[in-house]
Amino acid sequence: MDWLEALQLLRSSSRPGVLATVTAVRGHAPREAGAKMLVGADSAWDSIGGGNLEATVMDRARAMLDAGSTLPESLTFPLNEHAVTRHGKQCCGGVVDVLLEPFLPRPTVAVFGVGHVGHELARILSRLPLRLQLVDSRADQVSPAELSDVTGGSADVHPVHSPVPDSVLGGLPAGSHVLILTHDHAEDFLLCDAALRRGDLGSVGLIGSSAKWSRFRVRLLAEGHAAADVDRISCPIGLPEITGKAPAVIAVSVAARLLQLLASNPED
């Protein structure tokens, strides 16, 4: 697998990586300018020349991953007998510049229920750099024809039909943002219960009125969830200052609130 295939693999599995590129070579070096290597948390793909150069780049790349760095870095490596690092000497005689570019995983947003509001929300979110899961227990709501205006944007869109949507929620990556907008209050409740049992999601939002949430809250407490955990669910969803009941208005409000959450947690 080359670095480009590996980058696609990391992106599809919501894992970060650092792309290392040889940007300049002066004198003799093991690889030419333009050589690339991708470094993941526990694997690396392709090579920028091996030896001390490559080992040092991998160390720095993994330190960037551990720190959640988002800014690129440029490093310069003299490859001579006088330049000693923890990985020893490399005596090619030249000097190599390497650019390290971190690629954080795209945030995962899962929309459960692709009805009037869910579809409008999907249209907005599909234009953002997200990993967007659209889940519905009704197959026709996530058919290619129904989502033809959603799949051409910047987002990685993954339509999912499941008669048991809460099982899909259980398989989401940690840190995912969940929006519950189904056509069925019973389905909504099961999804809320499943979300609270995860305990590692980025946020959970539920469409509905304050009265609906009051009923749900009592039932969730009765299921044994702690009050502090239950209160992490946002209902009603969206920004309170954006009012209106039209699907497009609700979708804009929900998307705006999601953008606030993503901005406050850029590592998600």
Side-chain angles (χ1 to χ4, degrees), residues 37 66 89 108 128 162 186 227 240-241:
M37 175 178 69
D66 290 341
K89 300 178 181 180
T108 295
L128 302 174
S162 174
E241 57 268 31

Side-chain angles (χ1 to χ4, degrees), residues 32-268:
E32 68 286 351
K36 297 180 185 295
M37 175 178 69
L38 183 68
V39 182
D42 49 20
S43 299
W45 299 267
D46 272 341
S47 174
I48 57 170
N52 164 58
L53 166 65
E54 188 163 293
T56 304
V57 165
M58 291 175 65
D59 283 349
R60 181 56 197 152
R62 289 190 170 130
M64 293 172 72
L65 291 175
D66 290 341
S69 300
T70 59
L71 298 177
E73 294 184 8
S74 293
L75 303 176
T76 298
F77 296 90
L79 305 179
N80 59 62
E81 67 274 13
H82 303 296
V84 181
T85 72
R86 58 175 294 203
H87 299 290
K89 300 178 181 180
Q90 199 161 356
C91 303
C92 303
V95 178
V96 175
D97 294 333
V98 179
L99 176 65
L100 302 182
E101 298 176 272
F103 288 87
L104 297 183
R106 287 184 159 192
T108 295
V109 178
V111 177
F112 288 85
V114 196
H116 295 306
V117 176
H119 192 106
E120 291 286 356
L121 180 59
R123 291 178 64 195
I124 297 171
L125 298 183
S126 71
R127 291 156 172 79
L128 302 174
L130 304 170
R131 187 169 185 268
L132 181 59
Q133 292 223 30
L134 303 176
V135 187
D136 206 295
S137 57
R138 303 161 294 174
D140 57 332
Q141 297 300 117
V142 288
S143 67
E146 184 68 18
L147 298 179
S148 61
D149 59 345
V150 172
T151 54
S154 302
D156 300 322
V157 180
H158 302 274
V160 181
H161 165 239
S162 174
V164 190
D166 47 304
S167 66
V168 177
L169 191 150
L172 294 174
S176 297
H177 297 270
V178 170
L179 297 164
I180 301 170
L181 310 95
T182 84
H183 64 295
D184 184 344
H185 281 205
E187 200 169 287
D188 284 351
F189 181 80
L190 290 174
L191 287 164
C192 288
D193 180 65
L196 291 177
R197 295 187 189 283
R198 282 288 304 265
D200 61 353
L201 297 173
S203 67
V204 183
L206 170 68
I207 196 169
S209 64
S210 298
K212 174 183 175 178
W213 176 239
S214 294
R215 293 193 297 272
F216 271 41
R217 189 176 187 279
V218 169
R219 293 178 60 192
L220 290 168
L221 291 172
E223 290 291 327
H225 297 293
D229 294 333
V230 172
D231 290 339
R232 292 188 66 240
I233 297 178
S234 297
C235 182
I237 49 176
L239 297 178
E241 57 268 31
I242 300 178
T243 59
K245 296 185 178 181
V249 174
I250 298 172
V252 167
S253 176
V254 173
R257 176 57 184 148
L258 177 63
L259 287 174
Q260 288 182 335
L261 292 170
L262 293 175
S264 65
N265 295 281
E267 71 277 6
D268 288 346

Side-chain angles (χ1 to χ4, degrees), residues 4-29:
L4 184 56
E5 292 173 312
L7 183 58
Q8 293 169 334
L9 172 65
L10 292 182
R11 177 168 157 175
S12 66
S13 58
S14 297
R15 289 181 287 163
V18 174
L19 181 63
T21 304
V22 176
T23 55
V25 173
R26 298 175 292 284
H28 295 288

